[in-house]
Amino acid sequence: MGISKLKFNRIVSDIYIVAISLSLFLHIFNEAELIPGVKLFYIPVLISALLGTYLFYKKAQLYAFVVVFISFTAISAIVSFSGTAISALINLVLIVLSTYGLRNVEMDRLLKINAYLIPVALIWLFLIYIREPVYRFQGYYNDPNYLSTTLLAFLYMLLLLINRSKSKLLNLLYIIEVFILLLLILFTISRTGIACSLLILIVALLGSIKKHPVIASIIGVVGIVSFSHFFMNVFDEQAYVLEQRLNNDDNLSSAGNLRMELSLQGVEYVLENPFRWVIGLGLGETEREDAIPFRKDFHRDHNTVTSCFTEQGVMAFLFYFLILLKIWISLHRRRDLQKSEKLLRQTFFLVLGLFSLSIWQMTYLPYWWLLFLLDNRKIIYSS
């Protein structure tokens, strides 16, 4: 007797959930390669892209926006005649194809797998830092903000696990993991990461006060006090650097002004050239020193929004905005979510948007991973 289509799709769906979970887990070990030039996390990404395309790409307005967005990005990359743009385009296509399915997976199944993967990743990163503390911890990435973005995806799932678990022991373990994760974000000394994490923590505690007022209050007070004490005493050198970095208004202002200036240089150049205004420079092209003539300071555009306009053109920029707007409206209109989970999703969406203004996220897997997961449609798992 042959296997039914429903059962076959269920098996494929389970394989997809495992593959997409491994893609984020292995992304933490960004330097690990299968063979020279082929990173280990590429394998689950490719599997997820193939299975996700088979299972989840149904007719939907958001899907149409994604297709048009990628199409205009492809035109921009091809017309630029740049190997950098073509390579970045391939990355973007595979990442979006693999992560779009997160909108339709059964959330409980996804959380169950990641409940095992997340602590392994966090403990490994923590041990790396303990073994050799550095000025700004970035794990296996080339920028602390990228590590912070990946940790945000883990934090979202941990808070969902705490919200859904009825086991006090498991909740205690999840809280310890959140504590370790917040320490790791502090070690990055990323001002955006720290501010966003604190905002998320406040929202999460406020959301749990009604359900568990005593527990939430104790966790909030004890967590903040012990967190500060542990960090300040065990890692006083890093604490001093962090304090100086957060209190240095001149440094903060100059860094913000420099990033804004770099972003506007590209936007102004594109606006002055009608052809570039339509198709952009090509995905990832602001990374090249000669991409923008007469550039004052060479540095790629860190702002995902402005770089989308500069690199991918006005049409890709428009549909990128429509993708974000569609997800936000969908979150706002949801009636099947608990108020605390809905508020948590909206907070993470805003935090992710804030992060995209401080670092280029267009071809970054955890960014799209979390973005589509926030729009997940299957809340309750039914066996």
Side-chain angles (χ1 to χ4, degrees):
M1 186 172 70
I3 187 172
S4 67
K5 185 176 181 181
L6 182 62
K7 189 173 182 180
F8 176 77
N9 286 346
R10 185 57 170 244
I11 294 171
V12 174
S13 177
D14 287 343
I15 297 173
Y16 171 83
I17 291 173
V18 172
I20 197 64
S21 298
L22 285 174
S23 72
L24 186 64
F25 172 74
L26 293 176
H27 200 274
I28 279 286
F29 308 96
N30 191 48
E31 294 178 354
E33 292 184 334
L34 190 64
I35 58 175
V38 179
K39 295 185 178 182
L40 195 57
F41 77 88
Y42 288 178
I43 306 303
V45 166
L46 183 59
I47 294 172
S48 302
L50 294 172
L51 298 182
T53 302
Y54 168 76
L55 283 172
F56 303 121
Y57 282 80
K58 300 176 182 178
K59 292 180 180 178
Q61 190 177 46
L62 182 63
Y63 174 57
F65 289 163
V66 168
V67 170
V68 177
F69 164 69
I70 289 179
S71 298
F72 280 111
T73 302
I75 293 171
S76 172
I78 293 169
V79 173
S80 70
F81 299 106
S82 167
T84 300
I86 298 296
S87 177
L89 172 66
I90 294 171
N91 288 337
L92 177 63
V93 171
L94 287 175
I95 287 169
V96 172
L97 285 176
S98 65
T99 55
Y100 183 85
L102 286 164
R103 298 180 66 245
N104 300 295
V105 299
E106 292 174 354
M107 180 68 87
D108 284 359
R109 285 176 173 252
L110 183 76
L111 292 177
K112 285 177 182 177
I113 292 174
N114 282 278
Y116 293 99
L117 297 177
I118 291 173
V120 175
L122 294 179
I123 292 171
W124 184 271
L125 289 172
F126 192 75
L127 290 176
I128 291 174
Y129 183 84
I130 294 295
R131 188 166 61 245
E132 189 178 352
V134 293
Y135 163 57
R136 295 189 68 189
F137 183 56
Q138 57 190 34
Y140 294 104
Y141 298 106
N142 59 7
D143 191 299
N145 288 299
Y146 282 133
L147 175 59
S148 295
T149 307
T150 307
L151 292 174
L152 279 181
F154 286 162
L155 180 59
Y156 175 64
M157 288 187 283
L158 283 174
L159 292 177
L160 288 183
L161 285 165
I162 292 171
N163 189 49
R164 292 163 185 245
S165 175
K166 296 179 181 179
S167 167
K168 292 182 180 179
L169 177 59
L170 283 177
N171 274 339
L172 177 61
L173 292 175
Y174 296 146
I175 290 169
I176 292 172
E177 290 174 42
V178 169
F179 181 80
I180 294 173
L181 187 148
L182 292 174
L183 273 178
L184 290 170
I185 290 179
L186 265 182
F187 296 157
T188 67
I189 316 185
S190 165
R191 288 173 294 221
T192 307
I194 293 169
C196 290
S197 301
L198 288 176
L199 175 61
I200 290 167
L201 195 59
I202 291 170
V203 170
L205 286 173
L206 289 175
S208 62
I209 280 177
K210 289 185 179 180
K211 284 186 176 181
H212 312 287
V214 177
I215 296 176
S217 301
I218 292 174
I219 290 173
V221 174
V222 174
I224 292 172
V225 173
S226 60
F227 185 72
S228 303
H229 177 78
F230 177 80
F231 185 74
M232 296 295 288
N233 286 279
V234 179
F235 302 100
D236 33 323
E237 183 179 347
Q238 282 71 28
Y240 173 77
V241 172
L242 175 62
E243 182 182 3
Q244 295 300 307
R245 183 170 167 82
L246 292 176
N247 291 333
N248 192 338
D249 294 333
D250 292 336
N251 182 36
L252 180 61
S253 176
S254 61
N257 291 337
L258 176 60
R259 292 195 178 196
M260 180 60 70
E261 183 180 345
L262 291 170
S263 298
L264 292 179
Q265 281 180 14
V267 172
E268 289 171 0
Y269 171 70
V270 168
L271 287 175
E272 291 170 0
N273 295 268
F275 179 69
R276 293 298 181 189
W277 189 81
V278 175
I279 67 162
L281 298 170
L283 185 61
E285 282 296 281
T286 58
E287 193 172 23
R288 289 195 303 106
E289 187 171 1
D290 59 346
I292 302 172
F294 314 112
R295 191 194 309 216
K296 295 178 182 178
D297 297 291
F298 170 57
H299 206 299
R300 81 157 288 98
D301 187 355
H302 280 265
N303 190 316
T304 308
V305 177
T306 56
S307 69
C308 179
F309 178 79
T310 303
E311 298 179 351
Q312 295 155 261
V314 65
M315 295 306 297
F317 171 79
L318 173 62
F319 280 92
Y320 174 62
F321 176 76
L322 289 175
I323 290 170
L324 299 178
L325 182 62
K326 175 65 178 174
I327 292 176
W328 173 256
I329 291 174
S330 175
L331 281 175
H332 181 70
R333 292 178 176 175
R334 293 287 289 271
R335 296 291 181 266
D336 56 333
L337 293 171
Q338 297 176 355
K339 287 185 178 179
S340 58
E341 184 168 337
K342 181 177 180 179
L343 180 60
L344 193 64
R345 289 193 185 207
Q346 291 173 325
T347 304
F348 267 92
F349 180 89
L350 294 175
V351 162
L352 197 59
L354 181 60
F355 251 106
S356 70
L357 298 178
S358 63
I359 193 164
W360 190 61
Q361 303 268 20
M362 190 57 70
T363 59
Y364 189 59
L365 175 73
Y367 170 77
W368 293 98
W369 211 100
L370 181 54
L371 182 65
F372 287 131
L373 183 62
L374 291 174
D375 195 36
N376 180 270
R377 321 301 298 173
K378 293 192 175 181
I379 306 304
I380 301 174
Y381 165 65
S382 56
S383 62

